[in-house]
Amino acid sequence: MSGSDFTRVLVGPLRRCGSHGLRLRLAKSPKVFSPYPLHITDILHRVPHYGDLSCDLNLFRLTHDVITLQNFAPVRWKCSFDPVCIFDELVEMHPKEKERSVHHIVWKLLEKGAEAQSATVLIDKSCETLWRAPELLRLYPDLKYVVLVRDP
């Protein structure tokens, strides 16, 4: 499948709204890949230190570190990633003259996880991505967005 064959859904939860339960229910469908959130907030503040991502070496370093972050997540995904293979696919999809972003790396990992289980819907439920909505919508105009709010 190519990246455009997936339906991307960003669940933008507020804390304590029940989004974890929703993610677990959705993940029961074989057509939905909704893994434990990557929580890239742990790396977002460091992205500027990687420098210009049009430089392949900088993009590779960031790709490697995002994959390492996923490998040390409290709940492991049911797939593993080769940084070289992910990097090669990113370079093919996003050559130097096109914009490159940490979000391309995250969604590429979600795509690969979805491919491993033949899913067509990708769900990212990282709370901090709510604040990145304008950038994500620019990168992925077809992105679906769900905001959950708990009624007190």
Side-chain angles (χ1 to χ4, degrees):
M1 288 182 92
S2 74
S4 61
D5 294 333
F6 293 104
T7 299
R8 289 179 172 80
V9 180
L10 182 63
V11 176
L14 300 176
R15 300 270 182 213
R16 309 299 311 151
C17 69
S19 63
H20 180 71
L22 175 65
R23 182 188 70 77
L24 292 175
R25 281 186 209 92
L26 292 172
K28 289 186 181 290
S29 168
K31 295 295 179 188
V32 175
F33 184 67
S34 181
Y36 184 83
L38 194 53
H39 297 300
I40 63 166
T41 192
D42 296 336
I43 205 168
L44 282 175
H45 69 283
R46 297 177 55 199
V47 170
H49 298 289
Y50 289 88
D52 182 4
L53 296 181
S54 67
C55 171
D56 287 346
L57 180 58
N58 295 343
L59 180 65
F60 179 78
R61 287 178 178 153
L62 181 57
T63 301
H64 179 274
D65 289 353
V66 170
I67 291 171
T68 300
L69 176 69
Q70 189 276 326
N71 285 333
F72 287 98
V75 178
R76 299 280 311 268
W77 294 7
K78 294 178 182 171
C79 51
S80 60
F81 305 103
D82 177 350
V84 174
C85 292
I86 297 295
F87 169 77
D88 287 344
E89 289 187 34
L90 287 166
V91 168
E92 184 178 324
M93 290 177 59
H94 306 284
K96 292 180 183 187
E97 60 275 0
K98 290 181 85 176
E99 180 179 5
R100 293 172 167 180
S101 166
V102 66
H103 300 292
H104 288 128
I105 300 167
V106 171
W107 285 98
K108 176 52 71 179
L109 297 182
L110 287 165
E111 286 175 16
K112 298 307 266 182
E115 285 175 2
Q117 73 176 44
S118 300
T120 56
V121 177
L122 313 174
I123 296 180
D124 180 15
K125 190 204 77 78
S126 301
C127 295
E128 61 278 349
T129 53
L130 177 65
W131 310 114
R132 307 278 184 210
E135 179 183 0
L136 287 164
L137 288 170
R138 185 173 40 75
L139 296 172
Y140 300 102
D142 61 340
L143 180 68
K144 308 292 185 239
Y145 209 91
V146 176
V147 178
L148 297 174
V149 180
R150 182 178 221 150
D151 187 6

